[in-house]
Amino acid sequence: MADKQTNIEKTQSDQMQTTERSRSQNVFVPPVDIYETDDEVVLLADMPGVEQKNVDITLENDVLTIEGSIESKTPEGYELVWSEYGTGDYFRSFNLSDNIDQSKVNARVTDGVLKIIFAKTEPAKPKKIKVNLE
Amino acid sequence: MLIRTYSPWSVMDRIQREMNQLFDDSYRSDRFRYPAVNMWTNDRSAVVTAELPGFSSKDIDISILDKTVMLKGKREIDGEKATWHRQERMSGEFERSFELPFPVEVDKVKASFDNGILSITLPRAEADKPRKIEIKST
């Protein structure tokens, strides 16, 4: 649904239409990369201005929700004369697939990018069933 | 008798047009303008901010010539031997230039990069600052 970032406009979240947030900041949808290797599923989300301590990650009922809040830093004593982007908080949620082990999750924020690494569940081992001949 | 009408909106229009010209790089319309940039000014300096998450400061180049600032950089996206589910983040190289509303003291330009936000502070060139002119009464 979200396309590759072909323009510089940030996507405003439509989350506002469902539930209201207690903070009145703008909310944006962070662009995300998700890829899968043999052992892991990795998610990367661009949330510039967000520090590690201002990120909330919740996992509930196979739904992953990422939230990032910024501490607004507008330069004092200046006038904004040109604005191509707005600043605000970030919010996005995903349905997780079955092959993720929800107890083994590792998350870190570096330079405004949230990286979450999920370990994949062990593939189900085939069980041999003995047939008893009576 | 000459009657001059003054409309505050015409002042806003003029400022907007001037800013549009500074940022008009439509000759390169085939490429979208990345990164998005905000500019703040007062009469002494300008501050330019851009969101560049995931870049490291060594991958960003800032160069200034007269009133033109050029931003260049690249970001590699890892995940070579992988199956991609979503790829929305910008990857690769970018190059973007824009003009400042006044010339700046290049030696005194400072840039910082925090949490993926690049912030460049550009003090206005001394020679360009408006000077008060005294009126001598005879």
Side-chain angles (χ1 to χ4, degrees):
Chain A
M1 192 168 77
D3 300 310
K4 168 105 188 206
Q5 223 176 347
T6 50
N7 60 49
I8 50 174
E9 287 179 21
K10 287 165 76 168
T11 315
Q12 193 97 11
S13 173
D14 59 4
Q15 215 62 34
M16 302 292 281
Q17 293 167 10
T18 47
T19 37
E20 297 224 7
R21 301 169 84 237
S22 51
R23 286 162 57 120
S24 58
Q25 284 249 42
N26 283 334
V27 182
F28 295 97
V29 178
V32 139
D33 285 345
I34 305 180
Y35 62 86
E36 191 175 327
T37 63
D38 290 334
D39 321 296
E40 302 170 332
V41 174
V42 179
L43 179 148
L44 294 146
D46 277 352
M47 297 198 282
V50 173
E51 297 174 35
Q52 179 129 344
K53 60 181 168 69
N54 290 329
V55 168
D56 274 323
I57 305 173
T58 28
L59 259 180
E60 203 181 321
N61 296 331
D62 292 339
V63 174
L64 167 76
T65 305
I66 51 180
E67 284 181 80
S69 55
I70 59 153
E71 289 160 9
S72 190
K73 284 180 198 157
T74 51
E76 288 212 10
Y78 285 90
E79 205 185 305
L80 181 64
V81 298
W82 185 262
S83 175
E84 289 175 353
Y85 68 89
T87 53
D89 299 340
Y90 298 91
F91 183 96
R92 197 154 178 192
S93 55
F94 296 90
N95 286 317
L96 294 178
S97 49
D98 290 353
N99 62 347
I100 286 173
D101 186 344
Q102 295 188 17
S103 60
K104 291 201 196 126
V105 181
N106 188 293
R108 164 193 275 206
V109 175
T110 328
D111 290 328
V113 178
L114 169 66
K115 183 171 187 175
I116 310 183
I117 304 179
F118 299 93
K120 282 160 72 162
T121 49
E122 303 270 330
K125 294 192 178 124
K127 290 195 181 115
K128 278 195 171 16
I129 300 175
K130 283 206 178 102
V131 178
N132 286 329
L133 293 169
E134 288 288 334
Chain B
M1 189 168 85
L2 182 68
I3 299 175
R4 282 197 128 153
T5 50
Y6 169 78
S7 149
W9 297 113
S10 63
V11 177
M12 304 282 289
D13 280 345
R14 181 176 57 78
I15 294 172
Q16 184 64 59
R17 254 182 289 124
E18 283 172 16
M19 293 307 298
N20 283 345
Q21 277 167 18
L22 297 182
F23 282 85
D24 187 21
D25 46 0
S26 54
Y27 54 86
R28 234 189 287 134
S29 57
D30 55 322
R31 288 187 52 185
F32 63 96
R33 292 181 292 182
Y34 181 91
V37 148
N38 285 351
M39 188 189 293
W40 310 75
T41 59
N42 58 29
D43 52 3
R44 282 162 292 124
S45 58
V47 174
V48 172
T49 58
E51 294 189 326
L52 290 166
F55 287 79
S56 62
S57 50
K58 61 174 169 55
D59 290 326
I60 304 174
D61 282 326
I62 308 171
S63 34
I64 304 178
L65 184 63
D66 292 335
K67 294 199 291 185
T68 308
V69 175
M70 161 125 61
L71 288 179
K72 250 168 90 159
K74 64 178 189 324
R75 171 165 80 169
E76 307 292 334
I77 296 286
D78 45 286
E80 297 238 344
K81 288 182 301 177
T83 321
W84 284 89
H85 293 283
R86 272 186 197 266
Q87 218 279 299
E88 295 165 5
R89 296 160 70 227
M90 192 249 155
S91 65
E93 291 184 22
F94 71 85
E95 187 181 307
R96 185 172 175 195
S97 54
F98 51 88
E99 273 197 25
L100 299 166
F102 43 67
V104 296
E105 297 280 355
V106 179
D107 300 328
K108 295 197 184 136
V109 173
K110 291 199 165 67
S112 63
F113 188 63
D114 284 310
N115 298 318
I117 298 184
L118 173 70
S119 177
I120 315 172
T121 308
L122 309 118
R124 190 169 184 169
E126 287 297 324
D128 192 70
K129 284 186 183 162
R131 278 196 197 82
K132 279 196 181 348
I133 298 176
E134 268 188 42
I135 303 173
K136 286 215 172 88
S137 51
T138 43

